[in-house]
Structures are given as structure tokens and as C-alpha cells.
Amino acid sequence: MRPGIGLPVLLLDNTGTTVTDRQPYRKMSSDMDGTMLLGVEGIKKTILYGGTAEMPRFITGTKVTFHFRTQLCDDDRTVIDDSKVTGVPMEVVIGNMFKLEIWETLLTSMRIGEVAEFWCDVTHTGLYPLVAKSLRRIAEGKDPVDWHIHSCGMANMFAYHTLGYDDLDQLQKEPQPLYFVLELVKVQQPSEYDRESWALNDEERLKAVPLLHGQGNKLYKLGRYQDATNKYKEAIVCIKNIQHKEKAWEAPWLKLEKMGNMLTLNYCQCLLRMEEYYEVIEHTSDIINQHPGEMKAFYVRGKAHIEVWNEAEARADFERVLDLDPGMKKAVKKDLGVLNMRMEEKNEEDKVKYKGMF
């Protein structure tokens, strides 16, 4: 699931007046007020605006682009989320195990251009707070998959009990029926679009990882570090999407963890070249906290510490590198030479900067 491309929609109200995107999803006419059942318990559908053409063909791999509005079943029909606020519709791929499976059922009952309101009881809405968190992170320009979390233990404990949004926390604590107002914008068959990694199934994602890894390596050698980071990150997201379905610390999970760490360290090598030193320290520290025997993470973090004049931290990391792999002695000696030079330069700069101040 990810954002798609927004398309404007013009609707007519009961008086024939055009309803713009500022007034979406109003009932179009009295003859459309009838409520239908979809043959699935706990769902009621009301068509607000009829779609066009024949019913689309929905098969596994079909990509569906749609706008959505989520509302509480209170007197005010309080809006929780509305994709039209951001102007960007969502996309799901049919049969791709989207977390909120009921949306596939709702969408596959619609025609292109149709706007419909669905009442869904709590048996279908329990996972909505988790899905909404991802949708909001996308709208905020953040990665919906937390492939590394930069926070201390206490922060992680707190994060375990909160989704980061008060209204979603309340909804998760007290599940309730919801209204989903959906507008079907576009339907594409598997052969009609290029499938990005987010649209792949787990088997396809696993096959994509070595390809993305290889592409990242080639781009790194060409000095195209930003492009390389994109490939590495895409591969990492593929792995994390598969890994969260495995039981932590068991063999399949650990195998994926090892692959993810290797890609993250490659990602960090690019960040070093891009002078994003503090981000390198964050990512490598995450790995070290989980896997204190990961020598390469200490080595890459040590190089980042050199660049930000963290002398004690750099020396400690390189000492740990030698403990884990004495064969790194030559490389570490060279890096310690760079550290000494960097500290001498820093000391000279400080002397000039603070001369006469005391």
C-alpha cells in the first residue's frame, strides 16, 4: 500500500449543483439512499454516486486506486481520516494480504467512479488503528515501515503502548463500528502497471532482494550514493515486510535479520560518503544493541565517530573490532591514524577559535 496519483472528481448534489473536492461524498439523490448488503455479515453498503461502465475485473494482482474517508458512528459522524485532505488517493493490490482485508471486499463491489458508504461492525474494524497509523505516516512523508527505531529502551516501552496518535489509541482501546466512504478511482490489471516492491507478495519480495542489493552495489561503485541508498532501503523494506510475519529469534527470522543487517551496513557506507555521520551512528547502534557481536557495525560506527570528533567513542569501537576480528588490525591502524590527524586539526582550530577569550 502506498500513495497514488490524485484525480479530481466532480459530483452533483440533489439540486444539480456541482460538488467539488471541498465537499466530497454527499448523497447524490434520494433514489440512491437504499442500503444494500454485500453477503458478508456486519457490512451495509449505500451507494452515494453511481459509477460508470461495467464492473471491473478484480483478480489477484489487480491494483486498485481509491480515496477513502473514515468516520465514527456518532451523531456528528466524526472524521478520523480523509485522503482528500492530502489530495492523494491510496493503492492496494488485490490478494496481497493488505492488513485491513475488508477493504478488498468493499472495493471489489464497486465500479470505477462510484462513491459508496460502508457501515462495518467491529469484527471488520479492529485493525483499523494500525492501518491508519501507516496511512498517516505516508501522508507525513515518513516510512510506514519502521525498519530501524532510533529510541532508548524507555521510549520503546512507551511506544509499545501507543500508536503515536491519541484518537487511534482510543479507538484501539475501545474498538467500535466505523463508516468507510470509498471512491473508486482506477483499476489496473497486473499487466498494466510496473509492480514496485511494495506491491509484491512475499515470494516475489524475497527474489527481489538480491537484485536490489546488486543494483545498489553497482550504483555505489559508480559514486551514485543517493541512488544506491534507495536500492538498499527498498531491499530492507522487502525483508522487514517478510520478517514481521516470522517468530522473533527463530531460524527464519534470524536469516532475514542477517540479510537486513548486511544491507543496512551497505546503506550506512553510502551515508558515510554523503557525510550523514549521525544517521550512520544511529543505524549501526541499532544493530549493535541487538547483535553486540556484529564486527562490521562497530567498524562503520567507528569511522562515523572519527568524522564528528568523537575520539573516545571511535577508539572504543575500533578496540571492539580488534577483539572480534584480529585480522582487521591493518585497517584499524590506518583509521586510528586518520583519527589522530583529525583530532590534531580540531585542536588547532579550537586554539585559533578561542584565542584571547580566556
Side-chain angles (χ1 to χ4, degrees):
M1 176 191 61
R2 65 185 292 266
I5 300 172
L7 296 175
V9 175
L10 296 179
L11 308 180
L12 299 178
D13 65 15
N14 294 338
T15 64
T17 305
T18 298
V19 181
T20 68
D21 285 340
R22 292 188 298 275
Q23 299 171 298
Y25 311 144
R26 290 173 58 186
K27 292 189 178 182
M28 297 303 105
S29 62
S30 59
D31 62 353
M32 292 184 183
D33 290 348
T35 298
M36 303 178 296
L37 302 178
L38 297 185
V40 179
E41 188 175 352
I43 301 176
K44 295 179 182 179
K45 175 182 178 180
T46 303
I47 296 177
L48 305 182
Y49 180 78
T52 60
E54 300 296 323
M55 280 293 295
R57 180 168 170 258
F58 296 100
I59 62 173
T60 298
T62 299
K63 182 164 71 171
V64 181
T65 303
F66 64 101
H67 273 295
F68 73 95
R69 172 186 280 177
T70 306
Q71 297 172 290
L72 297 178
C73 296
D74 57 13
D75 292 338
D76 296 326
R77 290 288 190 93
T78 302
V79 176
I80 304 174
D81 294 294
D82 188 344
S83 65
K84 288 219 167 182
V85 172
T86 62
V88 182
M90 302 307 301
E91 296 176 353
V92 298
V93 175
I94 300 300
N96 205 33
M97 296 182 69
F98 179 49
K99 285 182 180 179
L100 199 63
E101 293 181 13
I102 195 61
W103 272 9
E104 287 194 13
T105 301
L106 308 184
L107 290 164
T108 54
S109 76
M110 300 176 68
R111 300 175 186 271
I112 295 174
E114 179 180 325
V115 180
E117 175 184 272
F118 299 88
W119 174 88
C120 297
D121 70 17
V122 293
T123 61
H124 302 299
T125 62
L127 287 177
Y128 183 76
L130 293 174
V131 173
K133 175 185 176 182
S134 294
L135 300 182
R136 293 181 186 186
R137 288 181 64 83
I138 291 171
E140 294 165 3
K142 299 175 182 177
D143 189 343
V145 180
D146 294 320
W147 56 282
H148 275 300
I149 300 173
H150 313 304
S151 54
C152 66
M154 286 298 291
N156 280 332
M157 286 177 62
F158 178 75
Y160 183 81
H161 297 288
T162 180
L163 296 173
Y165 302 94
D166 290 342
D167 58 342
L168 297 183
D169 287 339
Q170 184 63 30
L171 193 57
Q172 182 166 251
K173 183 179 178 181
E174 300 177 7
Q176 56 187 282
L178 296 172
Y179 283 107
F180 297 120
V181 183
L182 305 181
E183 176 188 331
L184 185 57
V185 177
K186 186 192 302 183
V187 175
Q188 295 171 282
Q189 300 306 316
S191 62
E192 296 175 341
Y193 67 95
D194 294 328
R195 300 183 71 188
E196 300 175 54
S197 61
W198 67 270
L200 304 178
N201 60 38
D202 287 350
E203 184 179 353
E204 291 168 330
R205 286 188 179 112
L206 203 55
K207 290 179 179 178
V209 168
L211 297 176
L212 292 166
H213 191 176
Q215 291 169 354
N217 289 348
K218 288 180 181 179
L219 290 165
Y220 179 86
K221 290 177 181 178
L222 292 172
R224 294 169 57 184
Y225 304 120
Q226 183 62 64
D227 291 334
T229 63
N230 292 336
K231 295 296 181 182
Y232 292 139
K233 188 171 183 178
E234 192 173 354
I236 292 165
V237 170
C238 282
I239 289 172
K240 294 302 179 184
N241 273 318
I242 303 170
Q243 190 182 22
H244 84 274
K245 300 171 187 175
E246 302 289 348
K247 191 170 182 180
W249 300 104
E250 291 193 352
W253 187 93
L254 287 170
K255 182 178 180 180
L256 292 166
E257 181 79 351
K258 184 176 181 181
M259 294 168 61
N261 287 343
M262 178 172 61
L263 285 160
T264 300
L265 291 171
N266 284 6
Y267 178 83
C268 287
Q269 292 282 8
C270 293
L271 295 179
L272 281 175
R273 296 284 189 171
M274 296 161 64
E275 301 183 2
E276 300 288 349
Y277 305 122
Y278 289 105
E279 189 173 349
V280 172
I281 292 170
E282 289 180 349
H283 286 305
T284 50
S285 295
D286 286 336
I287 294 176
I288 289 166
N289 289 338
Q290 292 290 322
H291 306 280
E294 183 57 70
M295 180 274 295
K296 291 182 180 178
F298 282 103
Y299 183 68
V300 174
R301 188 173 72 173
K303 293 176 78 70
H305 279 310
I306 288 175
E307 299 300 329
V308 293
W309 301 289
N310 292 339
E311 182 177 14
E313 291 85 348
R315 293 189 185 280
D317 278 349
F318 289 131
E319 184 177 339
R320 184 66 177 137
V321 168
L322 293 178
D323 288 341
L324 293 168
D325 185 357
M328 290 290 292
K329 184 175 182 180
K330 184 176 180 179
V332 167
K333 182 178 180 181
K334 181 179 179 181
D335 287 309
L336 288 174
V338 174
L339 173 62
N340 292 333
M341 181 179 66
R342 292 278 292 164
M343 295 311 302
E344 288 177 7
E345 291 174 351
K346 181 69 165 55
N347 291 335
E348 289 300 319
E349 289 176 6
D350 288 346
K351 286 180 182 178
V352 173
K353 183 186 298 185
Y354 301 116
K355 184 178 181 180
M357 291 182 65
F358 304 101

